[in-house]
Amino acid sequence: RAPPPRARAAMAALSRLALAAIAGGAGAVRLAAEPRPSASLPRDVVRHTLAFLPPLVASCSGTTTEVLLWQGDSAGQAAPPALPAQRLSHDFVVVDVQFFPRGDRLLAVGPSRAVVWELGSGRALLKIDREIPKVQGRSLLDAQVFPDGDRLVALGADGVALIWSIAAGEVVQQLDIHTIRGKHRSVRVLPSGDRVITGVSDLADDPAVVWNATDGRPLHALVHAGEKITALEISPCGERLGAAGFERISVWDLATGDLQRVFARPEEAFWGEAWYAPMGVAISTAGVKVVGRGTRRVFIWDGRTGELTRTLTMDGVVGALVMESV
């Protein structure tokens, strides 16, 4: 259930942007509380994914079997380069990490396996192994934790998303993604926990789909017209969905499924870019800010007017965008 208006307003005021940029030659990844960088971490450990749950930061390289945990300060910011507070080792390459809402657990995802860790004890609470035919080297394409911290959803290369109970160690619901147009590679869970969104595929006009997490029914098909979806992100309170392609970002109202606004990549996005990269997306509470990234630039729009309000130029490739409520 969505937070009451007063809580929503407070979260909107406190939403801020955190981003990671792999600096060419400088060897640092910056965590920026927009508009100023707040901290940095060693480049060689954060080539792929960052997860934030102040005061904790987790990172994985996408090429090694370790997840590194960094302890922040009382303000929830990571300290400048220092030794990680904890290392979690796996028997697979870790490509994604996520904290559970209460901060006591962490999900580590690999190409075919995932593990839920209890952070205090370092004990593995649940192991998922999807031994099915692979797509581009992966049988487990994506996984996301539910806000209640008791469930997670794992999307397989067979077009089936399984919702797991962590305590029971068993599947409690199945989403038949293969019945929808497109081979989806990404899954997201709304903060309310009652809906799941899948998307990101190889063809233009393949939709993102909103699913009922209780009964497995599809509710809305959201089309990013004219190009394929390369990234999906939900606003912190779950009112909006942002979908990025190569040239545009579309934002929908998730209560109605209506398209709210389309944000075009500025022409300046191509100035000095190393290659023509797909955009990433982050979106603040109530869609107040919409953020997109090119290769080395981050663009911030006013979500209500569509006006481009700020451009951040990084000294390296922008690897991640996270809109966090703090």
Side-chain angles (χ1 to χ4, degrees), residues 87-109:
R87 297 173 184 263
L88 297 174
S89 296
H90 305 77
D91 57 0
F92 56 85
V93 172
V94 181
V95 297
D96 190 23
V97 288
Q98 298 164 45
F99 285 109
F100 279 64
R102 292 187 290 269
D104 58 342
R105 300 174 180 179
L106 181 133
L107 172 65
V109 182

PDB file of all heavy atoms in Angstrom, residues 87-109:
ATOM      1  N   ARG A  87      33.520  -9.378   3.216  1.00  0.00           N
ATOM      2  CA  ARG A  87      33.572  -9.992   1.893  1.00  0.00           C
ATOM      3  C   ARG A  87      32.728 -11.265   1.914  1.00  0.00           C
ATOM      4  O   ARG A  87      32.839 -12.065   2.838  1.00  0.00           O
ATOM      5  CB  ARG A  87      35.004 -10.352   1.492  1.00  0.00           C
ATOM      6  CG  ARG A  87      35.947  -9.170   1.353  1.00  0.00           C
ATOM      7  CD  ARG A  87      37.374  -9.631   1.112  1.00  0.00           C
ATOM      8  NE  ARG A  87      38.301  -8.522   1.061  1.00  0.00           N
ATOM      9  CZ  ARG A  87      38.734  -7.950  -0.060  1.00  0.00           C
ATOM     10  NH1 ARG A  87      38.313  -8.419  -1.233  1.00  0.00           N
ATOM     11  NH2 ARG A  87      39.571  -6.952  -0.030  1.00  0.00           N
ATOM     12  N   LEU A  88      31.890 -11.432   0.898  1.00  0.00           N
ATOM     13  CA  LEU A  88      31.092 -12.648   0.756  1.00  0.00           C
ATOM     14  C   LEU A  88      31.559 -13.364  -0.502  1.00  0.00           C
ATOM     15  O   LEU A  88      31.509 -12.803  -1.603  1.00  0.00           O
ATOM     16  CB  LEU A  88      29.600 -12.309   0.645  1.00  0.00           C
ATOM     17  CG  LEU A  88      28.970 -11.628   1.869  1.00  0.00           C
ATOM     18  CD1 LEU A  88      27.536 -11.213   1.565  1.00  0.00           C
ATOM     19  CD2 LEU A  88      29.029 -12.538   3.084  1.00  0.00           C
ATOM     20  N   SER A  89      32.029 -14.605  -0.364  1.00  0.00           N
ATOM     21  CA  SER A  89      32.562 -15.368  -1.497  1.00  0.00           C
ATOM     22  C   SER A  89      31.534 -16.381  -1.995  1.00  0.00           C
ATOM     23  O   SER A  89      30.749 -16.933  -1.218  1.00  0.00           O
ATOM     24  CB  SER A  89      33.844 -16.102  -1.085  1.00  0.00           C
ATOM     25  OG  SER A  89      34.859 -15.175  -0.742  1.00  0.00           O
ATOM     26  N   HIS A  90      31.551 -16.592  -3.315  1.00  0.00           N
ATOM     27  CA  HIS A  90      30.595 -17.488  -3.968  1.00  0.00           C
ATOM     28  C   HIS A  90      31.329 -18.455  -4.884  1.00  0.00           C
ATOM     29  O   HIS A  90      32.499 -18.245  -5.218  1.00  0.00           O
ATOM     30  CB  HIS A  90      29.588 -16.672  -4.796  1.00  0.00           C
ATOM     31  CG  HIS A  90      28.882 -15.610  -4.002  1.00  0.00           C
ATOM     32  ND1 HIS A  90      29.495 -14.417  -3.657  1.00  0.00           N
ATOM     33  CD2 HIS A  90      27.625 -15.565  -3.498  1.00  0.00           C
ATOM     34  CE1 HIS A  90      28.629 -13.681  -2.964  1.00  0.00           C
ATOM     35  NE2 HIS A  90      27.499 -14.351  -2.858  1.00  0.00           N
ATOM     36  N   ASP A  91      30.611 -19.489  -5.316  1.00  0.00           N
ATOM     37  CA  ASP A  91      31.177 -20.406  -6.299  1.00  0.00           C
ATOM     38  C   ASP A  91      30.662 -20.081  -7.702  1.00  0.00           C
ATOM     39  O   ASP A  91      30.632 -20.940  -8.572  1.00  0.00           O
ATOM     40  CB  ASP A  91      30.883 -21.859  -5.933  1.00  0.00           C
ATOM     41  CG  ASP A  91      29.393 -22.132  -5.786  1.00  0.00           C
ATOM     42  OD1 ASP A  91      28.591 -21.196  -5.975  1.00  0.00           O
ATOM     43  OD2 ASP A  91      29.040 -23.296  -5.480  1.00  0.00           O
ATOM     44  N   PHE A  92      30.256 -18.825  -7.893  1.00  0.00           N
ATOM     45  CA  PHE A  92      29.844 -18.330  -9.210  1.00  0.00           C
ATOM     46  C   PHE A  92      30.196 -16.851  -9.307  1.00  0.00           C
ATOM     47  O   PHE A  92      30.408 -16.180  -8.282  1.00  0.00           O
ATOM     48  CB  PHE A  92      28.341 -18.539  -9.443  1.00  0.00           C
ATOM     49  CG  PHE A  92      27.449 -17.913  -8.395  1.00  0.00           C
ATOM     50  CD1 PHE A  92      27.062 -16.581  -8.484  1.00  0.00           C
ATOM     51  CD2 PHE A  92      26.994 -18.668  -7.321  1.00  0.00           C
ATOM     52  CE1 PHE A  92      26.244 -16.005  -7.526  1.00  0.00           C
ATOM     53  CE2 PHE A  92      26.170 -18.098  -6.354  1.00  0.00           C
ATOM     54  CZ  PHE A  92      25.791 -16.766  -6.453  1.00  0.00           C
ATOM     55  N   VAL A  93      30.283 -16.348 -10.526  1.00  0.00           N
ATOM     56  CA  VAL A  93      30.543 -14.922 -10.751  1.00  0.00           C
ATOM     57  C   VAL A  93      29.295 -14.129 -10.382  1.00  0.00           C
ATOM     58  O   VAL A  93      28.185 -14.453 -10.815  1.00  0.00           O
ATOM     59  CB  VAL A  93      30.926 -14.654 -12.217  1.00  0.00           C
ATOM     60  CG1 VAL A  93      31.005 -13.160 -12.495  1.00  0.00           C
ATOM     61  CG2 VAL A  93      32.254 -15.334 -12.547  1.00  0.00           C
ATOM     62  N   VAL A  94      29.446 -13.103  -9.567  1.00  0.00           N
ATOM     63  CA  VAL A  94      28.315 -12.295  -9.106  1.00  0.00           C
ATOM     64  C   VAL A  94      28.125 -11.115 -10.047  1.00  0.00           C
ATOM     65  O   VAL A  94      29.049 -10.339 -10.289  1.00  0.00           O
ATOM     66  CB  VAL A  94      28.539 -11.798  -7.668  1.00  0.00           C
ATOM     67  CG1 VAL A  94      27.338 -10.981  -7.198  1.00  0.00           C
ATOM     68  CG2 VAL A  94      28.785 -12.970  -6.728  1.00  0.00           C
ATOM     69  N   VAL A  95      26.904 -10.970 -10.583  1.00  0.00           N
ATOM     70  CA  VAL A  95      26.617  -9.897 -11.543  1.00  0.00           C
ATOM     71  C   VAL A  95      25.637  -8.869 -10.991  1.00  0.00           C
ATOM     72  O   VAL A  95      25.430  -7.823 -11.599  1.00  0.00           O
ATOM     73  CB  VAL A  95      26.074 -10.477 -12.870  1.00  0.00           C
ATOM     74  CG1 VAL A  95      27.110 -11.366 -13.532  1.00  0.00           C
ATOM     75  CG2 VAL A  95      24.766 -11.237 -12.651  1.00  0.00           C
ATOM     76  N   ASP A  96      25.020  -9.146  -9.831  1.00  0.00           N
ATOM     77  CA  ASP A  96      24.092  -8.180  -9.245  1.00  0.00           C
ATOM     78  C   ASP A  96      24.030  -8.409  -7.737  1.00  0.00           C
ATOM     79  O   ASP A  96      24.157  -9.546  -7.259  1.00  0.00           O
ATOM     80  CB  ASP A  96      22.695  -8.334  -9.855  1.00  0.00           C
ATOM     81  CG  ASP A  96      21.754  -7.200  -9.454  1.00  0.00           C
ATOM     82  OD1 ASP A  96      22.265  -6.117  -9.088  1.00  0.00           O
ATOM     83  OD2 ASP A  96      20.526  -7.387  -9.502  1.00  0.00           O
ATOM     84  N   VAL A  97      23.831  -7.314  -6.988  1.00  0.00           N
ATOM     85  CA  VAL A  97      23.672  -7.393  -5.535  1.00  0.00           C
ATOM     86  C   VAL A  97      22.528  -6.468  -5.119  1.00  0.00           C
ATOM     87  O   VAL A  97      22.334  -5.411  -5.697  1.00  0.00           O
ATOM     88  CB  VAL A  97      24.955  -6.994  -4.777  1.00  0.00           C
ATOM     89  CG1 VAL A  97      26.014  -8.061  -4.916  1.00  0.00           C
ATOM     90  CG2 VAL A  97      25.486  -5.649  -5.252  1.00  0.00           C
ATOM     91  N   GLN A  98      21.780  -6.895  -4.099  1.00  0.00           N
ATOM     92  CA  GLN A  98      20.688  -6.084  -3.564  1.00  0.00           C
ATOM     93  C   GLN A  98      20.571  -6.302  -2.066  1.00  0.00           C
ATOM     94  O   GLN A  98      20.695  -7.429  -1.599  1.00  0.00           O
ATOM     95  CB  GLN A  98      19.351  -6.476  -4.206  1.00  0.00           C
ATOM     96  CG  GLN A  98      19.258  -6.286  -5.688  1.00  0.00           C
ATOM     97  CD  GLN A  98      18.077  -7.045  -6.256  1.00  0.00           C
ATOM     98  OE1 GLN A  98      16.987  -7.006  -5.699  1.00  0.00           O
ATOM     99  NE2 GLN A  98      18.297  -7.759  -7.342  1.00  0.00           N
ATOM    100  N   PHE A  99      20.303  -5.218  -1.338  1.00  0.00           N
ATOM    101  CA  PHE A  99      20.005  -5.340   0.079  1.00  0.00           C
ATOM    102  C   PHE A  99      18.526  -5.646   0.281  1.00  0.00           C
ATOM    103  O   PHE A  99      17.671  -5.211  -0.493  1.00  0.00           O
ATOM    104  CB  PHE A  99      20.327  -4.034   0.811  1.00  0.00           C
ATOM    105  CG  PHE A  99      21.794  -3.796   1.010  1.00  0.00           C
ATOM    106  CD1 PHE A  99      22.448  -2.805   0.293  1.00  0.00           C
ATOM    107  CD2 PHE A  99      22.525  -4.551   1.915  1.00  0.00           C
ATOM    108  CE1 PHE A  99      23.798  -2.574   0.470  1.00  0.00           C
ATOM    109  CE2 PHE A  99      23.875  -4.325   2.104  1.00  0.00           C
ATOM    110  CZ  PHE A  99      24.513  -3.344   1.384  1.00  0.00           C
ATOM    111  N   PHE A 100      18.223  -6.374   1.348  1.00  0.00           N
ATOM    112  CA  PHE A 100      16.846  -6.517   1.789  1.00  0.00           C
ATOM    113  C   PHE A 100      16.456  -5.262   2.567  1.00  0.00           C
ATOM    114  O   PHE A 100      17.319  -4.581   3.135  1.00  0.00           O
ATOM    115  CB  PHE A 100      16.702  -7.764   2.666  1.00  0.00           C
ATOM    116  CG  PHE A 100      16.570  -9.034   1.882  1.00  0.00           C
ATOM    117  CD1 PHE A 100      17.609  -9.481   1.065  1.00  0.00           C
ATOM    118  CD2 PHE A 100      15.405  -9.782   1.935  1.00  0.00           C
ATOM    119  CE1 PHE A 100      17.491 -10.644   0.336  1.00  0.00           C
ATOM    120  CE2 PHE A 100      15.275 -10.958   1.206  1.00  0.00           C
ATOM    121  CZ  PHE A 100      16.317 -11.387   0.401  1.00  0.00           C
ATOM    122  N   PRO A 101      15.162  -4.938   2.595  1.00  0.00           N
ATOM    123  CA  PRO A 101      14.737  -3.659   3.196  1.00  0.00           C
ATOM    124  C   PRO A 101      15.189  -3.448   4.629  1.00  0.00           C
ATOM    125  O   PRO A 101      15.473  -2.318   5.026  1.00  0.00           O
ATOM    126  CB  PRO A 101      13.202  -3.737   3.106  1.00  0.00           C
ATOM    127  CG  PRO A 101      12.940  -4.628   1.942  1.00  0.00           C
ATOM    128  CD  PRO A 101      14.035  -5.645   1.963  1.00  0.00           C
ATOM    129  N   ARG A 102      15.246  -4.508   5.436  1.00  0.00           N
ATOM    130  CA  ARG A 102      15.638  -4.338   6.837  1.00  0.00           C
ATOM    131  C   ARG A 102      17.152  -4.263   7.021  1.00  0.00           C
ATOM    132  O   ARG A 102      17.627  -4.035   8.146  1.00  0.00           O
ATOM    133  CB  ARG A 102      15.065  -5.486   7.668  1.00  0.00           C
ATOM    134  CG  ARG A 102      13.543  -5.454   7.775  1.00  0.00           C
ATOM    135  CD  ARG A 102      13.032  -6.504   8.748  1.00  0.00           C
ATOM    136  NE  ARG A 102      13.198  -7.858   8.235  1.00  0.00           N
ATOM    137  CZ  ARG A 102      12.286  -8.513   7.519  1.00  0.00           C
ATOM    138  NH1 ARG A 102      11.144  -7.904   7.202  1.00  0.00           N
ATOM    139  NH2 ARG A 102      12.497  -9.742   7.109  1.00  0.00           N
ATOM    140  N   GLY A 103      17.907  -4.478   5.955  1.00  0.00           N
ATOM    141  CA  GLY A 103      19.357  -4.361   6.028  1.00  0.00           C
ATOM    142  C   GLY A 103      20.059  -5.537   6.659  1.00  0.00           C
ATOM    143  O   GLY A 103      21.268  -5.487   6.887  1.00  0.00           O
ATOM    144  N   ASP A 104      19.325  -6.615   6.953  1.00  0.00           N
ATOM    145  CA  ASP A 104      19.935  -7.772   7.607  1.00  0.00           C
ATOM    146  C   ASP A 104      20.295  -8.881   6.631  1.00  0.00           C
ATOM    147  O   ASP A 104      20.905  -9.875   7.018  1.00  0.00           O
ATOM    148  CB  ASP A 104      18.994  -8.323   8.676  1.00  0.00           C
ATOM    149  CG  ASP A 104      17.632  -8.728   8.108  1.00  0.00           C
ATOM    150  OD1 ASP A 104      17.296  -8.277   6.986  1.00  0.00           O
ATOM    151  OD2 ASP A 104      16.908  -9.475   8.796  1.00  0.00           O
ATOM    152  N   ARG A 105      19.916  -8.722   5.360  1.00  0.00           N
ATOM    153  CA  ARG A 105      20.167  -9.748   4.355  1.00  0.00           C
ATOM    154  C   ARG A 105      20.622  -9.103   3.050  1.00  0.00           C
ATOM    155  O   ARG A 105      20.400  -7.914   2.814  1.00  0.00           O
ATOM    156  CB  ARG A 105      18.906 -10.580   4.088  1.00  0.00           C
ATOM    157  CG  ARG A 105      18.374 -11.313   5.299  1.00  0.00           C
ATOM    158  CD  ARG A 105      17.049 -11.997   4.993  1.00  0.00           C
ATOM    159  NE  ARG A 105      16.522 -12.707   6.145  1.00  0.00           N
ATOM    160  CZ  ARG A 105      15.376 -13.358   6.144  1.00  0.00           C
ATOM    161  NH1 ARG A 105      14.624 -13.401   5.044  1.00  0.00           N
ATOM    162  NH2 ARG A 105      14.961 -13.976   7.230  1.00  0.00           N
ATOM    163  N   LEU A 106      21.244  -9.922   2.212  1.00  0.00           N
ATOM    164  CA  LEU A 106      21.699  -9.448   0.907  1.00  0.00           C
ATOM    165  C   LEU A 106      21.476 -10.543  -0.126  1.00  0.00           C
ATOM    166  O   LEU A 106      21.696 -11.733   0.162  1.00  0.00           O
ATOM    167  CB  LEU A 106      23.171  -9.055   0.965  1.00  0.00           C
ATOM    168  CG  LEU A 106      23.775  -8.517  -0.334  1.00  0.00           C
ATOM    169  CD1 LEU A 106      24.567  -7.244  -0.072  1.00  0.00           C
ATOM    170  CD2 LEU A 106      24.678  -9.561  -0.995  1.00  0.00           C
ATOM    171  N   LEU A 107      21.034 -10.156  -1.309  1.00  0.00           N
ATOM    172  CA  LEU A 107      20.857 -11.081  -2.433  1.00  0.00           C
ATOM    173  C   LEU A 107      22.006 -10.920  -3.405  1.00  0.00           C
ATOM    174  O   LEU A 107      22.300  -9.807  -3.850  1.00  0.00           O
ATOM    175  CB  LEU A 107      19.532 -10.798  -3.156  1.00  0.00           C
ATOM    176  CG  LEU A 107      19.286 -11.557  -4.461  1.00  0.00           C
ATOM    177  CD1 LEU A 107      19.159 -13.061  -4.211  1.00  0.00           C
ATOM    178  CD2 LEU A 107      18.042 -11.019  -5.171  1.00  0.00           C
ATOM    179  N   ALA A 108      22.674 -12.013  -3.726  1.00  0.00           N
ATOM    180  CA  ALA A 108      23.738 -12.037  -4.733  1.00  0.00           C
ATOM    181  C   ALA A 108      23.276 -12.897  -5.903  1.00  0.00           C
ATOM    182  O   ALA A 108      22.825 -14.024  -5.700  1.00  0.00           O
ATOM    183  CB  ALA A 108      25.029 -12.598  -4.144  1.00  0.00           C
ATOM    184  N   VAL A 109      23.385 -12.346  -7.118  1.00  0.00           N
ATOM    185  CA  VAL A 109      22.849 -13.016  -8.310  1.00  0.00           C
ATOM    186  C   VAL A 109      23.981 -13.317  -9.275  1.00  0.00           C
ATOM    187  O   VAL A 109      24.826 -12.460  -9.546  1.00  0.00           O
ATOM    188  CB  VAL A 109      21.788 -12.146  -9.003  1.00  0.00           C
ATOM    189  CG1 VAL A 109      21.200 -12.864 -10.219  1.00  0.00           C
ATOM    190  CG2 VAL A 109      20.677 -11.763  -8.032  1.00  0.00           C
TER     191      VAL A 109
END
